[in-house]
Amino acid sequence: MKILVPVKRVVDANVKVRVKADGSAVELANVKMAMNPFDEIAVEEAIRLKEAGKAEEIIVVSIGPQQAQETLRTALAMGADRAILVKTDEQTEPLGVAKVLKGVVEAEQPGLVILGKQAIDDDSNQTGQMLAALLGWAQGTFASKVVLDGDKAKVTREVDGGLQTVELKMPAIVTADLRLNQPRYASLPNIMKAKKKQLDEKTPADYGADVKPRLKVIKTEEPGGRKAGVKVKSVAELVDKLKNEAGVL
Ligand code: AMP
């Protein structure tokens, strides 16, 4: 069985994000970029399934600019077997990405697609669900555990009330939550090897999809700073403030 893992190039999670002076978008010039953290978890899960003998090949795919090849090479260095770069300079959105991924699935015929639950730049949390709908496949979202058994996948999901386990008929879509696993670091020799690997270069049109934006960003704002705290002199004053100022009692 093949496992397909879509990986997105996003602003590094450790970078303090700044909004462009004109408020049109987040500043990306000279900012460190990295693999979306949930996608690292998805790659790790695919590798563990392969190591457990449940999969033969892991294909990673990224829809993005030429530089997204760095993200793909990180995944190759972690242990993915093959990488596809679907090149576009458009700002990608979930529906366009899901349409490209549908084409990749039809060409590669994986038994499982593991995506991140959400990209930390657009926070959409939509691509996996849209892909499942376009393919008519079962989906296990927010996975914290994945167990494959023949043509079934048991996925434990993180839901508000606790953990829910669902059984999916394969082929299926899984989206990775934070507690699914702890991704490994790529070793230096593997990073060097990944640099030399040939990537498949494609375009959205090769998969019969277009990724033209359907949304228009009207405004981007930095979150407001936290207000300074105040010291109260007595419990009575605290209760009064909670009741009459904060309105939480
Ligand atoms: P989103 O729906 O944008 O929050 O993204 C959810 C997941 O879809 C990500 O964690 C990735 O696995 C995948 N994804 C989204 N955009 C892309 C992209 N441009 N290239 C590859 N994978 C993507």
Side-chain angles (χ1 to χ4, degrees):
M1 180 185 74
K2 293 184 194 174
I3 302 181
L4 180 71
V5 185
V7 294
K8 188 174 188 187
R9 176 178 184 263
V10 298
V11 173
D12 187 294
N14 302 308
V15 166
K16 176 149 177 20
V17 173
R18 304 219 174 273
V19 171
K20 280 188 186 169
D22 63 2
S24 61
V26 164
E27 184 59 77
L28 294 180
N30 303 318
V31 171
K32 184 166 181 263
M33 306 292 279
M35 190 190 308
N36 182 45
F38 292 106
D39 304 354
E40 282 183 11
I41 297 173
V43 173
E44 175 66 33
E45 194 62 19
I47 297 170
R48 289 188 190 188
L49 288 169
K50 187 180 167 195
E51 286 170 347
K54 303 281 186 188
E56 282 89 50
E57 191 182 27
I58 301 164
I59 306 163
V60 285
V61 54
S62 192
I63 298 116
Q66 188 63 40
Q67 298 92 313
Q69 61 159 302
E70 292 157 19
T71 313
L72 290 167
R73 289 192 196 283
T74 306
L76 290 171
M78 284 172 75
D81 299 292
R82 198 147 63 77
I84 306 171
L85 172 64
V86 183
K87 234 180 105 178
T88 175
D89 289 322
E90 298 279 11
Q91 192 70 39
T92 60
E93 291 173 0
L95 185 57
V97 171
K99 287 182 175 177
V100 173
L101 292 177
K102 178 173 183 269
V104 179
V105 166
E106 283 163 358
E108 298 290 346
Q109 304 279 315
L112 189 65
V113 183
I114 313 180
L115 303 94
K117 74 161 178 183
Q118 122 190 21
I120 61 162
D121 54 358
D122 62 16
D123 276 340
S124 294
N125 175 3
Q126 292 172 356
T127 309
Q129 293 88 329
M130 286 179 170
L131 179 61
L134 291 175
L135 292 167
W137 287 11
Q139 57 178 321
T141 50
F142 311 113
S144 63
K145 190 171 172 199
V146 177
V147 179
L148 301 188
D149 186 10
D151 66 344
K152 301 255 159 50
K154 269 205 189 114
V155 176
T156 303
R157 310 182 54 233
E158 299 207 1
V159 294
D160 265 0
L163 296 175
Q164 178 195 59
T165 303
V166 292
E167 191 177 84
L168 315 178
K169 199 175 157 306
M170 308 251 281
I173 306 286
V174 168
T175 71
D177 213 326
L178 199 60
R179 277 162 287 273
L180 181 58
N181 59 51
Q182 183 77 45
R184 69 195 63 192
Y185 289 107
S187 68
L188 194 56
N190 286 347
I191 293 172
M192 300 313 287
K193 262 190 247 160
K195 275 191 200 259
K196 289 188 202 126
K197 274 205 179 171
Q198 186 73 32
L199 308 181
D200 273 0
E201 282 209 15
K202 302 277 187 189
T203 64
D206 291 334
Y207 295 108
D210 90 76
V211 291
K212 287 218 164 55
R214 293 163 172 85
L215 303 174
K216 187 173 155 211
V217 175
I218 298 172
K219 197 160 89 176
T220 310
E221 284 175 281
E222 302 223 357
R226 255 181 92 172
K227 282 198 197 128
V230 286
K231 267 195 179 162
V232 290
K233 290 198 182 72
S234 65
V235 174
E237 192 189 341
L238 173 66
V239 172
D240 178 65
K241 278 192 184 297
L242 290 176
K243 235 189 212 165
N244 301 318
E245 280 181 29
V248 292
L249 287 182

